[in-house]
């Protein structure tokens, strides 16, 4: 699946399917932010996973997809559930409690930075000049988003390093939602890579459904132990938001995403991820009147630029020319080989008669 080179040639329904997960994730972030003041984060994370997993299993069974078989399949699904289910959704819900929906979505969708490094390490995918430039810009953008403004202002004012990294500011960083969102982004990146290994032992759609159920159960267990008042303050509009985040933001979005990720190019699929914060920031501003600080807006812009550079690195000037030249060289070599083969087929070798054949 070459999303980058063939995206413009895809039929509109298939292109919409590729974009759908990122639209649903961005808008589900806004829906969750509206619900979270009336419930608890871990309970909401479980609600987003378990019912969605059941829906995916029902649809997968209706489609005739096989159930996982063998210890290898279930162990990979369990690891997938822990990383992409429990850790990702837990960090996401707790981080969303301490940040806004648009900013939270930008932090989450910085995960292609980690995906690029993991794919380089595990699958030897090419990064190149534009990819490394994007990684550098991404680190800068995430720093502007995630670090306290006081740290950045102190740094540009050339204040002593001890004053910048004071105990109070470090505690502020680890208590901030942005830090939790970064952990969620890392968990999602690892989960995106894990689906490649999971799909070797189980059907990717079935595995997605089971990993949501298995990953959601610990969240409900922890919620029952440490949280209270999960349902008392929920209003009818909150149920609509939870339903949207569960059906569209989880069941449909994750089902489509991991289906494409199991068989296509991970970096190519991740190239569409930068659309998610665009949707989240747009609807967060329209529906929740959220406002970012100037430094955070700069960080948002740099992060989006970095994600674009990393995931479009093979189509940027210089790279595409190199690829075209390589393809031309390969084509010329093939033509030479074909011509040589034809020449060889036409060569006739004279055979000298033996002495017995020459005698009268």
């Amino acid at each position: 699946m070459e999303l980058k080179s063939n995206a413009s040639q895809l039929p509109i329904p298939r292109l919409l399917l590729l974009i759908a997960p990122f639209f649903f994730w961005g808008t589900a972030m806004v829906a969750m932010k509206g619900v979270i003041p009336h419930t608890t984060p871990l309970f909401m994370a479980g609600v987003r996973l378990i019912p969605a997993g059941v829906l995916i299993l029902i649809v997968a069974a209706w489609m005739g997809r096989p159930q996982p078989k063998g210890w290898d399949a279930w162990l990979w699904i369990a690891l997938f559930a822990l990383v992409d289910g429990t850790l990702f959704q837990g960090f996401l819900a707790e981080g969303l409690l301490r940040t806004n929906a648009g900013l939270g979505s930008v932090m989450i969708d910085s995960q292609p930075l980690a995906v690029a490094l993991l794919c380089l390490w595990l699958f030897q995918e090419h990064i190149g000049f534009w990819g490394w430039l994007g990684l550098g810009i991404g680190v800068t953008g995430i720093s502007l988003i995630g670090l306290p403004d006081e740290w950045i202002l102190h740094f540009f004012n050339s204040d002593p390093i001890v004053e910048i990294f004071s105990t109070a500011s470090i505690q502020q960083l680890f208590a901030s939602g942005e830090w939790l969102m970064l952990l969620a982004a890392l968990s999602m990146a690892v989960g995106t890579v894990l689906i490649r290994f999971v799909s070797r032992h189980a059907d990717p759609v079935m595995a997605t459904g089971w990993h949501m159920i298995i990953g959601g159960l610990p969240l409900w267990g922890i919620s029952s132990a440490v949280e209270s008042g999960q349902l008392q303050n929920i209003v009818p509009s909150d149920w609509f938001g939870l339903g949207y985040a569960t059906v569209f933001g989880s069941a449909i979005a994750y089902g489509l995403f991991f289906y494409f990720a199991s068989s296509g190019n991970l970096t190519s699929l991740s190239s569409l991820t930068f659309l998610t914060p665009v949707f989240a920031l747009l609807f967060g501003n329209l529906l929740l009147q959220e406002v970012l600080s100037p430094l955070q807006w700069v960080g948002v812009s740099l992060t989006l630029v970095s994600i674009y550079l990393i995931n479009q690195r093979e189509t940027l000037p210089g790279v595409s020319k190199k690829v075209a030249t390589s393809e031309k060289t390969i084509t010329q070599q093939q033509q030479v080989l074909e011509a040589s083969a034809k020449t060889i087929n036409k060569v006739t070798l004279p055979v000298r008669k033996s002495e017995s054949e020459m005698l009268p």
Side-chain angles (χ1 to χ4, degrees), residues 77-194:
I77 291 174
L79 179 60
F80 185 34
L82 173 65
V83 174
D84 191 75
T86 306
L87 295 181
F88 169 54
Q89 292 294 338
F91 288 138
L92 171 62
E94 290 288 350
L96 194 59
L97 184 65
R98 298 169 175 84
T99 187
N100 63 55
L103 177 59
S105 179
V106 172
M107 301 296 291
I108 287 296
D109 293 296
S110 65
Q111 55 90 16
L113 304 174
V115 170
L117 290 175
L118 289 173
C119 289
L120 172 66
W121 175 45
L122 295 173
F123 309 125
Q124 290 75 48
E125 289 191 4
H126 175 73
I127 292 182
F129 169 77
W130 293 107
W132 287 116
L133 178 63
L135 286 172
I137 295 175
V139 170
T140 304
I142 290 175
S143 299
L144 292 177
I145 295 172
L147 296 178
D149 288 358
E150 292 77 10
W151 284 25
I152 301 169
L153 295 175
H154 282 312
F155 178 80
F156 283 110
N157 290 332
S158 301
D159 290 335
I161 193 69
V162 176
E163 182 178 348
I164 297 176
F165 297 99
S166 63
T167 303
S169 61
I170 292 177
Q171 291 176 348
Q172 177 187 355
L173 172 64
F174 279 85
S176 68
E178 288 83 357
W179 177 260
L180 294 172
M181 287 298 191
L182 284 177
L183 293 176
L186 181 60
S187 300
M188 182 180 180
V190 176
T192 301
V193 174
L194 277 177

Side-chain angles (χ1 to χ4, degrees), residues 46-347:
V47 170
R48 189 178 179 187
L49 283 178
I50 297 176
V54 173
L55 288 175
I56 291 177
L57 291 182
I58 292 174
V59 173
W62 177 76
M63 295 172 63
R65 291 185 171 272
Q67 291 285 350
K69 297 179 181 178
W71 282 105
D72 289 343
W74 285 108
L75 287 175
W76 277 110
I77 291 174
L79 179 60
F80 185 34
L82 173 65
V83 174
D84 191 75
T86 306
L87 295 181
F88 169 54
Q89 292 294 338
F91 288 138
L92 171 62
E94 290 288 350
L96 194 59
L97 184 65
R98 298 169 175 84
T99 187
N100 63 55
L103 177 59
S105 179
V106 172
M107 301 296 291
I108 287 296
D109 293 296
S110 65
Q111 55 90 16
L113 304 174
V115 170
L117 290 175
L118 289 173
C119 289
L120 172 66
W121 175 45
L122 295 173
F123 309 125
Q124 290 75 48
E125 289 191 4
H126 175 73
I127 292 182
F129 169 77
W130 293 107
W132 287 116
L133 178 63
L135 286 172
I137 295 175
V139 170
T140 304
I142 290 175
S143 299
L144 292 177
I145 295 172
L147 296 178
D149 288 358
E150 292 77 10
W151 284 25
I152 301 169
L153 295 175
H154 282 312
F155 178 80
F156 283 110
N157 290 332
S158 301
D159 290 335
I161 193 69
V162 176
E163 182 178 348
I164 297 176
F165 297 99
S166 63
T167 303
S169 61
I170 292 177
Q171 291 176 348
Q172 177 187 355
L173 172 64
F174 279 85
S176 68
E178 288 83 357
W179 177 260
L180 294 172
M181 287 298 191
L182 284 177
L183 293 176
L186 181 60
S187 300
M188 182 180 180
V190 176
T192 301
V193 174
L194 277 177
I195 190 62
R196 280 292 184 83
F197 300 96
V198 174
S199 61
R200 296 175 183 175
H201 304 277
D203 177 79
V205 179
M206 276 291 185
T208 300
W210 280 114
H211 107 280
M212 296 177 82
I213 295 175
I214 297 172
L217 290 175
L219 294 172
W220 270 359
I222 298 173
S223 174
S224 63
V226 303
E227 295 177 341
S228 60
Q230 291 92 332
L231 299 173
Q232 285 83 341
N233 298 320
I234 294 182
V235 298
S237 61
D238 294 334
W239 288 113
F240 175 79
L242 284 174
Y244 180 85
T246 299
V247 176
F248 292 93
S250 291
I252 296 177
Y254 283 100
L256 289 172
F257 179 80
F258 286 119
Y259 171 77
F260 290 128
S262 66
S263 58
N265 185 285
L266 293 180
T267 305
S268 299
L269 182 63
S270 296
S271 66
L272 299 175
T273 307
F274 73 95
L275 294 173
T276 306
V278 175
F279 293 130
L281 290 170
L282 174 62
F283 285 92
N285 180 263
L286 292 176
L287 302 179
L288 303 179
Q289 290 77 47
E290 295 177 341
V291 179
L292 302 181
S293 71
L295 283 176
Q296 288 175 327
W297 273 116
V298 174
V300 167
S301 302
L302 292 177
T303 301
L304 295 180
V305 169
S306 72
I307 293 172
Y308 176 81
L309 288 176
I310 291 170
N311 293 286
Q312 297 294 323
R313 63 193 182 277
E314 294 181 3
T315 61
L316 291 171
V319 179
S320 58
K321 183 177 180 181
K322 181 179 179 181
V323 173
T325 303
S326 300
E327 292 177 351
K328 183 178 180 180
T329 303
I330 293 173
T331 303
Q332 292 175 344
Q333 291 175 349
Q334 290 175 345
Q335 292 175 349
V336 171
L337 291 175
E338 291 175 359
S340 301
K342 292 179 180 179
T343 303
I344 292 173
N345 291 334
K346 294 180 180 179
V347 171

